[in-house]
């Protein structure tokens, strides 16, 4: 992915915040916010575009394009710098609190002189915010909660940011003379949802040239520690990278050790000890003689301990060792096993790309089927109407005739419904029956209370036309916690009604999360791993969803979008209670027979 696009997106988001903080034009702030999103989701790298090319991006006008050009020519944008200078750094630090908007941050700074997160927490505890206009006890609670979220996410970064950087680093080091093998290990290889630091491993006889090449990488801003075996650096994005160079014949043992998790390592070391062996990052040794037994590959080390090779995504000491000993490890779902994407958007609602472009990009990924699920009318800012939805359906049917030819990609016309506070959705049954599938998700009223939230989700499952519960807990990593519903009750309702739970693959969400997937699976729930793509680039987020599903031990049998088309259509029929699957007939007609009144 183009890192320059992310840089510009962050810059314009900051500019929008700065405009709001300084009491500037709210409309202008929104324009930059929109441009930030459009550029972040644009498929081509913006540093390769000129002003004219930039203006072809939706939401990017002349003056925005000029700022992009200025940024890549000068390294900064004067308009942004001017506003930066007006706003004290402390206020900018306060806006990092997810529940505190820029306006309130400015009030806190001007009225109480608060300019850091710590000072703000102290002021709340001393009840100094109570007298300010617009700051009730509820606001205080929200801010404290935001501070907690900020601190718990700590310095960890999202999976996609870390993976991009790690892949660049591995590619660069693999080209250095003397590099025999190179891979990333640690939490990234295990696909954890956030990453503390990147661990890169190299096998080489002479470490020095690799250590030097590493510290000279263009995005390295600081060398934290440098040695023969290990070098640590900080990068321009704040994320640290550890590089370890090991002798080629220790590769397997080192990869195993530095992949972790620590809990998994401790368990396999115990197994070694019980067999009179000693395990370290250099190999598996005889405890008495000190003689090295194996170390070249991970398989060798596991095998000598009586275990099959264990997928990195399972290495959390959540039963994988016992399952390995019984030879009952799950045959995990993989990205190549994914046959289609069941939750995606177009520019008919809040997506960035037109229908045809999304469909073409999906076909290029080799999918056997692809669902378009734009928002229904209940999210009123999307301005959906019955007519617009039906007009889109005609276009989808026409595209299906082209793309579906000779075993090509079948198109499903769906919608993402909004689950209202009472569990209802955007349209009545007779309109819903016309869709090939419906995703239904919660988008607001997150703090209704546990019972109401549980009832709300269960009611959505009971709707015969709802096939997938989208981003089930609505969490946004580092920004918004998941809703407080009785998930076990929701999972049971999904299993009972034939409703799938989504594993939303967007790296900001990864919702359901690994541990919830494990629990849901015990209820016999089926899953859909979806990109929820709002742009062409987002289609490739699928890999993060698959990694998360693997961490939840999911196999192809558990995941409906690995199934062949006809089996999927049977599932979408909800056991005959929902739609009949003649909807997307080969002739493109829209015949539907219903069991429902
Ligand atoms: P992170 O960086 O917080 O996202 O998580 P990890 O798992 O990448 O942790 P990190 O970078 O501290 O260490 C990388 C791996 O090295 C870790 O997964 C297991 C191994 N490791 C590190 N420290 C220890 C330790 O004290 N004992 C054992 N057995 N293994 C360790
Ligand atoms: Ca790490
Ligand atoms: Ca590390
Ligand atoms: Zn969506």
């Amino acid at each position: 992915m183009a890192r320059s696009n992310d840089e510009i997106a962050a810059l314009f988001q900051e500019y929008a915040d700065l405009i709001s903080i300084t009491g500037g034009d709210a409309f202008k702030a929104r324009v930059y916010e929109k441009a930030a999103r459009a550029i972040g989701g644009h498929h081509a790298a913006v540093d390769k575009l000129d002003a004219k090319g930039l203006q072809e991006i939706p939401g990017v006008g002349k003056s925005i394009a000029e700022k992009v050009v200025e940024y890549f020519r000068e390294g900064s944008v004067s308009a942004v710098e001017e506003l930066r200078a007006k706003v004290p750094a402390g206020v900018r630090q306060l806006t990092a609190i997810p529940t505190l908007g820029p306006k309130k941050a400015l009030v806190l700074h001007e009225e109480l002189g608060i300019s850091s997160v710590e000072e703000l927490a102290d002021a709340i505890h001393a009840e100094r915010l109570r007298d300010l206009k617009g700051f009730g006890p509820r606001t205080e609670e929200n801010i404290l909660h935001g501070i907690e979220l900020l601190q718990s996410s700590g310095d960890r970064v999202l999976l996609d940011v870390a993976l991009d950087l790690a892949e660049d680093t591995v590619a660069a080091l693999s080209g250095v003379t003397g590099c025999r093998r190179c891979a990333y290990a640690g939490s990234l290889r295990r696909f954890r949802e956030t990453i503390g630091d990147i661990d890169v491993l190299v096998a080489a006889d002479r470490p020095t040239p690799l250590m030097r090449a590493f510290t000279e990488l263009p995005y390295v801003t600081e060398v934290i520690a440098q040695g023969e075996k290990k070098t640590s650096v900080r990068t321009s994005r704040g994320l640290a990278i550890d590089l370890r160079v090991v002798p080629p014949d220790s590769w397997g043992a080192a990869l195993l050790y530095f992949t972790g998790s620590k809990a998994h390592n401790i368990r396999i070391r115990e197994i070694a000890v019980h067999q009179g062996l000693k395990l370290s990052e250099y190999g598996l040794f005889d405890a008495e003689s000190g003689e090295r037994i194996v170390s070249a590959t991970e398989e060798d080390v596991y095998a000598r301990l009586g275990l099959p090779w264990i997928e990195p995504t399972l290495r959390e000491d959540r039963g994988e060792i016992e399952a390995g000993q019984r030879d009952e490890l799950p045959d995990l779902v993989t990205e190549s096993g994914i046959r289609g994407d069941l939750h995606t958007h177009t520019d008919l609602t809040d997506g960035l790309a037109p229908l045809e472009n999304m469909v073409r990009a999906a076909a290029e990924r080799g999918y056997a089927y692809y669902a378009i699920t734009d928002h229904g009318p209940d999210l009123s800012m999307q301005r959906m109407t019955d007519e617009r939805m039906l007009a889109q359906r005609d276009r989808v049917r026409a595209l299906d005739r082209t793309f579906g030819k000779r075993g090509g990609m079948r198109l499903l016309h769906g919608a993402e419904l909004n689950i209202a506070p009472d569990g209802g959705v955007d349209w009545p049954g007779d309109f819903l029956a016309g869709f090939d599938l419906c995703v239904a998700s919660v988008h607001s009223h997150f703090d209704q209370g546990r019972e109401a939230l549980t009832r709300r989700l269960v009611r959505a499952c009971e709707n015969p036309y709802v096939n997938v519960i989208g981003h089930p807990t609505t969490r946004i990593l580092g920004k918004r916690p998941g809703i407080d519903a009785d998930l076990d009750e929701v999972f049971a309702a999904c299993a009972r009604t034939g409703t799938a739970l989504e594993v939303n693959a967007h790296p900001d969400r990864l919702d359901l999360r690994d541990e919830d997937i494990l629990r849901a699976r015990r209820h016999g729930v089926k899953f859909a791993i979806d990109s929820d793509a709002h742009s062409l680039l987002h289609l490739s987020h699928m890999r993060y969803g698959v990694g998360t599903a693997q961490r939840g031990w999911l196999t192809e049998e558990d995941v409906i979008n690995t199934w062949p088309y006809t089996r999927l259509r049977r599932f979408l029929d909800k056991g005959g209670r929902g739609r009949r699957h003649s909807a997307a007939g080969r002739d493109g007609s829209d015949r539907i027979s219903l069991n429902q009144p």
Side-chain angles (χ1 to χ4, degrees), residues 296-529:
T297 69
E298 284 189 333
E299 283 84 348
D300 292 346
V301 178
Y302 276 122
R304 185 60 184 74
L305 297 173
L307 287 164
W309 181 77
I310 298 177
E311 295 270 0
T313 44
L314 295 180
R315 300 183 194 172
E316 298 289 346
D317 190 23
R318 289 182 187 148
E320 74 279 9
I321 306 220
E322 293 75 4
Q325 285 167 332
R326 291 194 309 266
D327 204 19
E328 284 172 8
L329 284 169
D331 199 355
L332 295 179
V333 59
T334 60
E335 204 183 356
S336 61
I338 297 289
R339 291 186 202 232
D341 201 331
L342 300 180
H343 178 178
T344 71
H345 297 272
T346 74
D347 63 1
L348 182 62
T349 55
D350 56 350
L352 293 169
L355 172 67
E356 288 73 14
N357 299 13
M358 292 299 284
V359 168
R360 210 174 314 120
E364 276 163 17
R365 293 178 62 81
Y367 285 150
Y369 45 81
Y370 181 74
I372 294 95
T373 57
D374 273 317
H375 291 286
D378 280 8
L379 288 186
S380 50
M381 72 279 193
Q382 311 300 350
R383 299 216 188 95
M384 181 54 80
T385 61
D386 295 8
E387 294 69 36
R388 300 178 85 188
M389 204 39 132
L390 294 174
Q392 185 188 55
R393 182 171 307 159
D394 289 340
R395 289 165 67 200
V396 169
R397 296 292 181 242
L399 285 168
D400 179 55
R401 280 192 290 276
T402 325
F403 280 86
K405 248 187 259 156
R406 287 188 296 278
M409 184 177 79
R410 299 303 310 266
L411 291 174
L412 295 129
H413 189 241
E416 181 178 11
L417 306 172
N418 179 51
I419 306 176
D422 68 356
V425 296
D426 309 48
W427 279 295
D430 57 350
F431 194 84
L432 295 179
F435 289 109
D436 300 328
L437 92 162
C438 293
V439 177
S441 345
V442 167
H443 297 100
S444 63
H445 302 86
F446 305 116
D447 39 12
Q448 268 184 312
R450 191 171 168 87
E451 243 172 76
L453 280 165
T454 307
R455 255 200 325 273
R456 184 179 179 185
L457 286 167
V458 169
R459 232 196 110 201
C461 293
E462 285 167 349
N463 185 319
Y465 301 104
V466 168
N467 303 112
V468 178
I469 302 295
H471 43 74
T473 76
T474 77
R475 73 163 180 177
I476 306 285
L477 282 161
K479 297 215 168 90
R480 186 168 75 209
I483 50 172
D484 176 30
D486 181 342
L487 290 181
D488 281 304
E489 209 172 301
V490 176
F491 298 161
C494 283
R496 175 165 52 80
T497 57
T499 311
L501 281 164
E502 184 172 76
V503 178
N504 190 293
H506 196 291
D508 287 346
R509 290 191 185 268
L510 299 176
D511 182 13
L512 288 180
R513 62 201 264 260
D514 51 6
E515 282 171 33
D516 292 335
I517 296 171
L518 276 167
R519 259 167 70 203
R521 192 167 167 268
R522 282 186 217 114
H523 288 268
V525 178
K526 299 297 180 196
F527 301 82
I529 309 174

Side-chain angles (χ1 to χ4, degrees), residues 565-580:
Y565 182 69
T566 43
R567 183 175 178 200
L568 171 71
R569 294 300 300 226
R570 274 200 303 281
F571 180 84
L572 298 179
D573 189 30
K574 282 194 123 172
R577 285 169 303 105
R579 63 188 58 82
R580 280 294 178 206

